[in-house]
Amino acid sequence: MTALILALVAGAVVGLALGGLGGGGSVLAVPALTYLIGMPPADAITASLIIVTLTSITALTGHARDGNVVWRTGLLFAAAGIVPVMLAGTAAGHLPQAGLTIAFAVVAGVAALRMLRPAPAPAAGKVPAKAAAAGAGLGAVTGLLGVGGGFLAVPALARVLNLPLRRAIGTSLLVITINSIAALGARAGTGVHLDWAVIAPFTAAAILGAWDGKRYAQRLSGNTLQRVFAYTLLAVAAFMLADAFI
């Protein structure tokens, strides 16, 4: 019963992040599954990909209905990450659990610090090349650490491609969905244990939370949303690093 309650609460928080910020689902889901539910890191990463894929599809439909998904840009961005997703996903199964935890914490911390910095002016020239590089990097992170990459995709879409924040959020959900599906394909047959008694309620709560996140996000400024999420990421990263080294 305790695991069920924790899964429902954590799922709601993950859904709020995905629906409102266009990212952050996996970077919150993996620690929740690991530290609250007690899953091994490898199992938590695969479970988070299932949860985030289904939740992102749900959130994507709402943002698409509002016209906030730039389909061509999102598909090109995601396409650049498909091969890195598959390669990194295969490699992840051969890495030590402690290494995955530390790498996850470092990525979360760096992303949080970048989100707190003032946004630079959109880059001029060579945008397709920079978008492809960003998409490939996100694919590698998704495959290795089981994060959809939205917390990195939103700043990249907004700064490199100069998309308005609302459209960057909606488009990032398309990128997350494609990356997560590819990462799941790479992890198929790797022998991880999937606890559906946890994954199912976690996913259901996340889907409901995504609708609420989208609604609440419309009432807050983009800067406020970004700062709240960044501080949450910093706290998660600090906890994971402390747990790994102490």
Side-chain angles (χ1 to χ4, degrees), residues 129-149:
K130 291 184 178 181
L138 288 174
V141 170
T142 299
L144 186 65
L145 302 179
V147 294

Side-chain angles (χ1 to χ4, degrees), residues 209-224:
W211 289 107
D212 287 335
K214 177 178 175 294
R215 186 171 67 251
Y216 293 145
Q218 294 173 341
R219 305 175 185 176
L220 300 173
S221 70
N223 286 337
T224 300

Side-chain angles (χ1 to χ4, degrees), residues 23-60:
S26 294
V27 83
L28 296 176
V30 172
L33 291 167
T34 302
Y35 294 105
L36 296 181
I37 308 298
M39 284 188 183
D43 294 353
I45 287 173
T46 303
S48 78
L49 286 169
I50 296 172
I51 294 163
V52 169
T53 297
L54 297 175
T55 307
S56 295
I57 291 172
T58 302
L60 176 62

Side-chain angles (χ1 to χ4, degrees), residues 2 8 14 21 40 58 102-103 115 117 126 139-141 167 170 176 184 187 212 228 233:
T2 301
L8 291 172
V14 167
L21 298 168
T58 302
I102 293 170
M115 292 177 75
R117 291 168 53 190
K126 298 184 179 179
V141 170
R167 286 198 161 195
I176 291 169
L184 277 173
R187 288 171 176 274
D212 287 335
V228 169
L233 275 184

Side-chain angles (χ1 to χ4, degrees), residues 59-221:
L60 176 62
T61 59
H63 284 274
R65 190 179 300 116
D66 292 341
N68 286 330
V69 179
V70 185
W71 293 96
R72 183 174 181 274
T73 297
L75 290 172
L76 290 173
F77 198 90
I82 294 297
V83 172
V85 162
M86 302 297 289
L87 293 176
T90 302
H94 303 286
L95 297 177
Q97 302 296 318
L100 290 175
T101 299
I102 293 170
F104 192 101
V106 170
V107 169
V110 170
L113 293 174
R114 287 181 62 86
M115 292 177 75
L116 290 172
R117 291 168 53 190
K126 298 184 179 179
V127 170
K130 291 184 178 181
L138 288 174
V141 170
T142 299
L144 186 65
L145 302 179
V147 294
F151 65 100
L152 298 174
V154 172
L157 289 166
R159 298 176 183 183
V160 177
L161 302 182
N162 198 24
L163 292 183
L165 183 61
R166 300 298 179 190
R167 286 198 161 195
I169 289 173
T171 305
S172 78
L173 289 165
L174 175 61
V175 176
I176 291 169
T177 300
I178 295 172
N179 281 352
S180 297
I181 290 173
L184 277 173
R187 288 171 176 274
T190 57
V192 298
H193 172 69
L194 297 177
D195 188 350
W196 292 103
V198 171
I199 295 173
F202 199 118
T203 303
I207 289 174
L208 293 176
W211 289 107
D212 287 335
K214 177 178 175 294
R215 186 171 67 251
Y216 293 145
Q218 294 173 341
R219 305 175 185 176
L220 300 173
S221 70

